[in-house]
């Protein structure tokens, strides 16, 4: 299938003039799991900046997972520091990644404005009610208020936006001034926005992204077999990040003549394989986001607050993977206790994705179409205006 269909021409980059320099603080763990979803976020922000600014700009990307502040040559050369997908820390957790606090503190000391674009919480299971009641880590809360609140002169040192409505709720509840919900940076590809939707009438192949929770991998394999039978198509199971040898992660009892297994750890360029897929049904938020950004259908089985918050924001196609018991007890959850983790492993996610997607397809993709229109609206009314504010 064609990646996107667009008849618009983009203005070429201007030559000469003042060069703006930006530092993007990426959460991509190049020395760890090499999660390609994290790489997609920072790469997307870089592409969006070039599209919006329309001039020659310098953009450096540093992983706050892999680097310390001392590794950056000279922070003072940057016009602004950009922190996509920054995670507000909940009470009982530690600020992660640990170097993020030091980068923001150094920026504040040098009076460099900070733009945290598409911040996203990581609560489990991540309900709407939790987002209006959970407290943030006091150190993180104080730093965010210091940077994104009003100064004594009435000026902000930076701006923070939310990836989803639940993160926006959390920030407001904890006294952090929020620009509003812009969506994830990876949702937007300027070559695809406002173009026609790629909604197939027949499935030749489906991508199924594997969950973070490895205890649910066998359920995913069973789901892949069900999808293969229900849609009479090929199914490709994808792994976005892992440590060690890829082969050691594949259970020996999986029949690889029945399903295909692809590894995507590393550069987000590996997502180009998804261009060959008709649809996505699975657990990884950035697989789901990649299909929506390229105007294709996707059903997300949400593992935690990141996924549920995204579904709530876009009225998206999907449902909650956490156990019924943990969802019922969500109002009492503060951190992931041993009991909660055991509960996560005990109850497998529902297989209702098969019937839900079948109905979506038969009805002409009404939920997907609505979500894609909301993405266009988010771009025009929230994300693009925020990027235009960056000095």
């Amino acid at each position: 299938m064609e990646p996107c269909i667009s008849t618009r021409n983009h203005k070429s980059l201007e030559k000469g003039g003042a060069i703006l320099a930006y530092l993007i603080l990426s959460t991509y763990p190049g020395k760890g799991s090499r999660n390609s979803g994290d790489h997609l976020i920072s790469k997307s922000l870089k592409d969006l900046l070039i599209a919006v600014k329309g001039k020659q700009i310098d953009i450096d990307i540093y992983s706050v997972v892999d680097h310390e502040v001392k590794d950056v040559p000279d922070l003072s050369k940057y016009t602004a520091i950009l922190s996509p997908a920054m995670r507000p820390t909940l009470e009982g957790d530690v600020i992660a990644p640990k170097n993020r606090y030091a980068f923001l503190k150094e920026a504040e000391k040098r009076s460099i404005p900070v733009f945290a674009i598409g911040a996203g919480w990581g609560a489990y299971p991540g309900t709407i009610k939790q987002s209006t009641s959970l407290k943030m880590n006091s150190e993180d809360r104080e730093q965010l208020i210091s940077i994104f609140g009003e100064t004594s002169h009435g000026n902000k040192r930076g701006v923070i936006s939310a990836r989803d409505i639940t993160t926006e709720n959390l920030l407001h509840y904890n006294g952090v001034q929020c620009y509003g919900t812009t969506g994830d940076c990876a949702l937007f590809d300027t070559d695809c926005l406002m173009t026609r939707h790629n909604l197939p009438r027949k499935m030749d192949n489906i991508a199924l992204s594997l969950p973070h929770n490895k205890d649910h991998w066998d359920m995913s394999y069973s789901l892949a077999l069900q999808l293969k039978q229900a849609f009479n198509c090929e199914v490709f199971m994808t792994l976005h990040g892992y440590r060690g040898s890829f082969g050691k992660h594949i259970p020996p009892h999986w029949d690889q003549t029945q399903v295909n297994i692809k590894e995507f750890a590393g550069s987000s360029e590996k997502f180009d394989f998804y261009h060959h897929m008709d649809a996505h049904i699975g657990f990884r938020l950035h697989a789901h986001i990649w299909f929506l950004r390229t105007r294709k259908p996707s059903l997300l089985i949400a593992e935690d607050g990141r996924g549920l918050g995204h579904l709530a924001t876009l009225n998206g196609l999907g449902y909650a993977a956490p156990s019924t018991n943990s969802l019922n007890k969500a109002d009492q959850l503060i951190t992931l206790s041993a009991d909660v983790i055991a509960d996560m492993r005990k109850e497998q996610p529902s297989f209702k994705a098969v019937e839900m997607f079948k109905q979506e397809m038969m009805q002409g993709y009404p939920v997907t179409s609505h979500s894609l229109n909301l993405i266009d609206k988010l771009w025009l009314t929230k994300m693009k205006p925020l990027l235009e504010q960056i000095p």
Side-chain angles (χ1 to χ4, degrees):
M1 295 183 68
E2 297 178 56
C4 293
I5 297 174
S6 176
T7 58
R8 290 167 292 143
N9 294 318
H10 291 287
K11 189 169 75 172
S12 60
L13 298 179
E14 296 175 5
K15 303 289 185 181
I19 293 180
L20 302 175
Y22 301 109
L23 177 66
I24 295 177
L25 303 181
S26 170
T27 57
Y28 172 66
K31 298 176 183 176
S33 66
R34 297 162 294 124
N35 188 319
S36 46
D38 290 315
H39 190 267
L40 180 64
I41 296 170
S42 52
K43 180 182 181 299
S44 297
L45 178 56
K46 179 178 180 179
D47 292 342
L48 294 175
L49 278 172
I50 293 171
V52 169
K53 293 302 179 185
K55 61 181 72 174
Q56 188 65 46
I57 55 178
D58 283 343
I59 301 174
D60 292 330
I61 300 177
Y62 274 79
S63 169
V64 287
V65 181
D66 299 337
H67 293 94
E68 304 281 350
V69 176
K70 61 181 176 60
D71 297 327
V72 183
D74 182 13
L75 276 180
S76 63
K77 77 173 188 178
Y78 297 109
T79 310
I81 291 180
L82 314 175
S83 181
M86 189 179 72
R87 190 187 82 184
T89 313
L90 296 176
E91 187 177 65
D93 289 340
V94 295
I95 296 174
K98 59 179 179 149
N99 297 334
R100 187 250 289 177
Y101 182 85
F103 270 98
L104 297 189
K105 191 172 183 180
E106 188 70 15
E108 189 175 11
K109 185 174 77 174
R110 293 174 178 270
S111 299
I112 304 171
V114 175
F115 285 74
I117 303 169
W121 71 334
Y124 182 86
T127 64
I128 294 289
K129 189 166 183 180
Q130 275 184 306
S131 73
T132 59
S133 60
L134 291 177
K135 293 183 178 179
M136 287 176 54
N137 170 296
S138 59
E139 184 181 33
D140 195 26
R141 178 177 175 273
E142 287 174 10
Q143 186 186 51
L144 297 188
I145 289 175
S146 174
I147 294 174
F148 304 116
E150 301 290 341
T151 68
S152 58
H153 302 292
N155 298 316
K156 292 181 178 179
R157 296 187 178 93
V159 176
I160 184 170
S161 77
R163 171 160 57 195
D164 47 55
I165 188 62
T166 41
T167 306
E168 182 179 347
N169 288 345
L170 179 75
L171 292 171
H172 280 311
Y173 173 75
N174 283 273
V176 181
Q177 294 188 28
C178 179
Y179 169 85
T181 297
T182 54
D184 190 297
C185 295
L187 269 177
F188 311 104
D189 181 332
T190 53
D191 287 328
C192 298
L193 289 162
M194 276 74 74
T195 62
R196 75 168 175 84
H197 304 168
N198 293 320
L199 305 176
R201 295 181 180 180
K202 180 185 179 300
M203 290 294 154
D204 291 324
N205 41 61
I206 293 174
L208 192 161
S209 59
L210 286 164
H212 285 276
N213 184 356
K214 200 166 183 179
D215 293 285
H216 293 164
W217 277 26
D218 275 345
M219 173 271 174
S220 303
Y221 175 71
S222 298
L223 175 60
L225 295 179
Q226 289 190 29
L227 291 171
K228 183 179 176 73
Q229 182 177 17
F231 294 94
N232 190 28
C233 69
E234 291 295 311
V235 176
F236 292 79
M237 301 180 73
T238 61
L239 180 57
H240 282 200
Y242 59 89
R243 296 173 184 270
S245 168
F246 173 65
K248 291 181 179 178
H249 290 270
I250 307 306
H253 61 278
W254 287 10
D255 185 350
Q256 295 190 50
T257 65
Q258 293 295 309
V259 296
N260 306 278
I261 304 171
K262 295 287 184 180
E263 66 95 6
F264 286 176
S267 169
S268 60
E269 291 178 359
K270 292 189 175 183
F271 282 179
D272 287 349
F273 178 80
Y274 282 147
H275 283 303
H276 305 291
M277 299 291 102
D278 293 324
H280 165 262
I281 298 171
F283 296 82
R284 287 300 183 104
L285 176 60
H286 283 94
H288 178 69
I289 282 175
W290 192 95
F291 276 78
L292 294 181
R293 80 185 248 135
T294 54
R295 322 299 273 185
K296 291 184 178 184
S298 176
L299 185 153
L300 178 65
I301 307 173
E303 293 187 86
D304 56 18
R306 297 183 319 137
L308 279 170
H310 174 86
L311 290 176
T313 301
L314 293 182
N315 299 319
L317 185 67
Y319 55 88
S323 67
T324 303
N325 188 38
S326 58
L327 283 169
N328 290 339
K329 293 181 177 179
D331 296 343
Q332 293 95 50
L333 292 179
I334 301 298
T335 59
L336 278 177
S337 67
D339 290 342
V340 173
I341 292 172
D343 185 57
M344 288 169 59
R345 292 174 174 167
K346 181 173 61 178
E347 184 178 332
Q348 296 290 315
S350 166
F351 285 92
K352 65 183 180 183
V354 179
E355 188 59 33
M356 182 180 286
F357 192 83
K358 189 180 292 185
Q359 290 299 314
E360 172 74 357
M361 186 177 175
M362 289 173 59
Q363 294 169 14
Y365 301 99
V367 178
T368 303
S369 297
H370 181 62
S371 293
L372 295 178
N373 291 334
L374 284 178
I375 291 170
D376 291 340
K377 184 178 179 181
L378 271 179
W379 169 252
L380 292 172
T381 64
K382 300 300 291 187
M383 179 61 87
K384 186 181 179 185
L386 175 59
L387 297 180
E388 289 172 340
Q389 286 185 30
I390 299 173

